[in-house]
Amino acid sequence: MKASSLRRWLPWLEWGRHYDRQTAAGDALAALIVTLLLIPQSLAYAMLAGLPPAAGLYASMLPLLAYALFGSSRTLAVGPVAVVSLMTAAALQPLFPAGSAEYAGAALLLALLSGGLLCGMALLRLGFIANFLSHPVISGFISGAALLIVLGQLAPLLGIAAAGATLGQLLPALARGLPVSHGPTLLLGVGCLVLLFWARRGLPPLLQRCGLDQAWAGNLSRAAPVLAMILATGAVWLWQLDERGVRVVGSIAAGLPAPSLPSLDLELARQLLPAALLISLVGFVESMAVAQTLAARRRQRIEPDSELLGLGAANLAAAFSGGLPVTGGIARSQVNFEAGARTPMAGVFSAVGIALGALLLAPLLQRLPQAALAAIIVVAVWGLIDLRGLARTWRYSRQDGAAQAATLAAVLLLGVETGIVLGVGLSLLLFLWRTSRPHIAVVGQVPGSEHFRNVERFQVIESPSVLSLRVDESLYFPNARYLEDRVAALVAARPQVRHLVLMCPGINLIDASALESLEAIAERLRAAGVQLHLSEVKGPVMDQLGRSDFLQRFGGQVFVSHYQALRQLDPLSTRRALQAGR
């Protein structure tokens, strides 16, 4: 294997050559801050997934090491995230009781399947597949999932039992439980919410007045969940609130995860495969969006296929170490970047910090109230709800806005898996609908120039004997028949036309269906006494046409420029247009 190819699949060979003490110090400092954020989030997201809290800690150790070996992003922070945890719960809760051994085993199998799919896509170089998930669909999905997460966490905040995977299940359950809310639990939960929301806005200015710069103040404020955990646990211990009905995390297995092989139940794997595929795609898209944004700020490059391999390896590591499906986190990655992380070694240092936390803090977390973890989840996902983005998308494009709104509604009303499938399907249908009716403009010559523009938008001069059509879309099977109908209608309305020239600067592809349509168009025009010509055809498209006999059979010419076509086919009209501009 060539050295360049090896470095592509093992990026640490590149950044590892230049690793020094200064870089290590920056990575270690960033890891300290990220660890403070990751410990409470890991516990909270494990609870969101319906798993024991320790699973969140385990998913934040070996997966970080695996990603550091294969991932191409220097600053992406991998671990449990809210949306993937919700999708994990949605996939497993219909099959097993949450918290059971079967449930935990299925979560490991789900991580194994997700990791295998991601690694398989990496080996097949399918990084481009993320392009099939449009931004409006992903935005609608994430907003809908975040709303479901917030509503789902109201139950532990209120101290009641209420569960559901959709809006129709959650709202009635919450309404029934509201009259019997547990006062101390509610007080604890609201207190944590107030503290965490205040920390986002009020704490940074306070820290800046104490002498910290803006970046450090912002990073430390994001570690406020640790303070909320300490205060909430202290309150439970001081006033014995667990004996008064406040639900706590309970016993957390101390120590490091023992490597183990997930149960390979083929029937269960078949049931989980669709969910694993969705988790893989959503996690990959979310990670790529974050990684590319942060890499652009340092003029670095992200390799999609390397990211697939890195995330796949991280999920495989989670499967073999008692974790749950993982991906790159938005908030953690932003903190990691702003805290000065330079390489994935920051993730390795964070894994060490989490391991120390699992060894030393497990006994101290037994009285951590579930309401505090629910508050941490609510504040973490609150920023993911982007209803204003839906309004912006709707104003710009009704079709994209409809896809985003439909995805959001489907997630809320039908569930996360159905929502994302419906959103992707709708976006693909909208793409096919848009491209099935390509923009086809009749163009004329701009007076005094060699340029051609749409006759409906500009004052131009048309040739009476040459019809000039500009096609602004690639030609393939959904729009081939539309082109035939459009050409037939335009020629029928212009009986004096003797030549039709298709301008092709916007055509990047002509598939077999479109080629047959061009042949049919040429034959029908010839029968009507009109000759078909092409102009400004791109090189790759000419190569395609050259592999057929169309260029020899259609009888017309292929012109380098449209001006050349008009000058040869109707020189009088061309001269008149040039003189009109003087």
Side-chain angles (χ1 to χ4, degrees), residues 531-552:
Q531 178 60 56
L532 174 67
H533 306 275
L534 306 177
S535 71
E536 302 182 14
V537 182
K538 292 182 176 179
V541 178
M542 279 295 294
D543 294 340
Q544 266 189 309
L545 294 176
R547 292 194 289 271
S548 72
D549 59 355
F550 172 78
L551 296 176
Q552 291 75 38

Side-chain angles (χ1 to χ4, degrees), residues 435-443 454-457 462 467-472 475 478-494 497 500-502 517-518 520-521 524-525 532:
T435 56
S436 69
R437 299 176 62 85
H439 182 254
I440 299 176
V442 178
V443 299
N454 192 334
V455 298
E456 296 180 1
R457 295 177 179 270
E462 289 189 76
L467 174 59
S468 300
L469 289 184
R470 190 187 69 225
V471 183
D472 296 329
L475 299 179
N479 59 30
R481 182 59 60 86
Y482 178 79
L483 176 64
E484 292 183 38
D485 295 341
R486 182 80 170 128
V487 168
L490 290 171
V491 170
R494 294 168 170 79
V497 166
L500 186 147
V501 185
L502 281 182
S517 290
L518 287 178
I521 289 170
R524 292 169 189 167
L525 290 177
L532 174 67

Side-chain angles (χ1 to χ4, degrees), residues 500-521:
L500 186 147
V501 185
L502 281 182
M503 287 183 69
C504 305
I507 297 176
N508 298 311
L509 167 73
I510 298 177
D511 75 356
S513 298
L515 179 62
E516 290 186 7
S517 290
L518 287 178
E519 292 172 345
I521 289 170

